[in-house]
Amino acid sequence: MSTVAYWLQKQRKPDLQNLAAHVGMEDYDGLLKTDLEVALDDYLRANQTSLRDDPQLSGFYKRLGSPVKRESEGVTTTSVVEAVKKPGLSGTKQRRQTLKAREGLESP
C-alpha cells in the first residue's frame, strides 16, 4: 500500500465524505476517516485521467507528482570555502561562501 497523500490527511471527515460523493465513490459512509483517506487516495489515483481537471481536486493532483530533482551546474564535487569580494568594499573585507557538495560524495 502506498502512503496517503498529505492533502487528503489534512481534510476533515465531512469534507472527505463530500469529496467522495462528488467524485462518484460508493460505500464510503461507514468508513473511518483513515480508511476513507486510503479509499479516496486509491480512487483518485485510479481515475486520475478523468478527474485531474476538477478544480476541487487540484490540491490533490498538484502534490501527487514527485518533485523533480534539479541538476545544479557549476557546483564542485567537494565542499569549498572561497573568499568572495563584495562589490563596493575594500580588498581587506571579504565574505566567505560555502558551496554545496554533490550528493553521494563524502568529504575526506
Side-chain angles (χ1 to χ4, degrees):
M1 181 179 98
S2 63
T3 59
V4 176
Y6 180 69
W7 184 82
L8 288 173
Q9 293 175 347
K10 291 189 323 180
Q11 306 300 316
R12 294 181 176 192
K13 185 175 179 180
D15 296 332
L16 292 174
Q17 290 172 328
N18 290 338
L19 193 60
H22 175 74
V23 297
M25 273 185 61
E26 298 176 357
D27 301 325
Y28 59 87
D29 288 331
L31 297 177
L32 298 173
K33 182 180 184 286
T34 53
D35 295 335
L36 183 55
E37 290 168 3
V38 172
L40 260 171
D41 189 75
D42 291 343
Y43 186 87
L44 294 176
R45 288 176 195 261
N47 297 293
Q48 182 173 354
T49 54
S50 61
L51 297 173
R52 178 179 282 284
D53 296 329
D54 189 326
Q56 285 187 337
L57 303 172
S58 63
F60 175 80
Y61 289 115
K62 182 169 75 171
R63 292 173 176 83
L64 185 62
S66 62
V68 176
K69 185 175 181 180
R70 296 181 196 162
E71 290 292 327
S72 58
E73 294 183 19
V75 176
T76 60
T77 57
T78 60
S79 293
V80 176
V81 177
E82 65 181 38
V84 178
K85 291 184 181 181
K86 288 180 118 180
L89 296 178
S90 66
T92 58
K93 293 196 178 201
Q94 296 180 350
R95 189 175 127 205
R96 295 195 305 169
Q97 177 180 353
T98 304
L99 300 178
K100 293 182 181 177
R102 289 187 188 213
E103 291 184 31
L105 296 177
E106 296 181 33
S107 58

